Amino acid sequence: MGIGRTPSDRVRTGHSRRWLLRAGGLVALGGATVPLTGCDLFDRDKEPPAPDALEPLAAEALALEARYRAAATAAPALAGQLTPIADAHRAHAEELRRVIGRPAPSGAPASAGAASAPAPDAALTELRRAEQEGRTNAARACAAAPAERAALLGSIAAARATHVEALK
């Protein structure tokens, strides 16, 4: 017995130095593998995320923008009326993409070329029909959406209804 030690000082805590070193090593090893899981090292069989319910509405907004731009190119007299609506559809598509959290898929939406563009009156009729269909789609999406998305979708549906009126 050393100086100042009593038999009660020799009470064991139940953990040896060897046990503590092993535990520390395991903790260090576990801490080193956690960042590897973020690098997709262990998640090779993971499925890609499912498409967002707003994807079709975002694609539709881009397609409507393309139709407006094509009609404005084919009938320059309508450009002043159609360009702001095309810009609104572009803004809707960008905001929907922001909410979805993914960029637009590569490839431009198909649009009618200037050579096959209808006469101005027919172009307005086609755009009005497309806007009515788009308004219906946006209203359905709004009714089915969670609260945090409903305001945006309601705004898009209202804007499309306004576009229908502006085309009369």
Side-chain angles (χ1 to χ4, degrees), residues 78 81-82 118-129 167-168:
L78 297 176
Q81 180 183 5
L82 301 181
D121 289 339
L124 289 176
T125 301
E126 286 182 21
L127 289 172
R128 197 174 313 120
R129 184 196 51 75
L167 293 171
K168 286 185 177 179

Side-chain angles (χ1 to χ4, degrees), residues 13-34:
T13 60
H15 303 295
S16 67
R17 273 187 252 155
R18 189 172 291 153
W19 182 87
L20 289 173
L21 287 172
R22 283 183 191 151
L26 289 174
V27 167
L29 181 61
T33 60
V34 169

Side-chain angles (χ1 to χ4, degrees), residues 19-62:
W19 182 87
L20 289 173
L21 287 172
R22 283 183 191 151
L26 289 174
V27 167
L29 181 61
T33 60
V34 169
L36 293 177
T37 60
C39 295
D40 197 31
L41 185 63
F42 299 115
D43 295 335
R44 300 254 181 216
D45 296 332
K46 202 173 195 182
E47 291 290 323
D52 193 284
L54 297 181
E55 294 279 350
L57 208 57
E60 182 181 55
L62 288 175

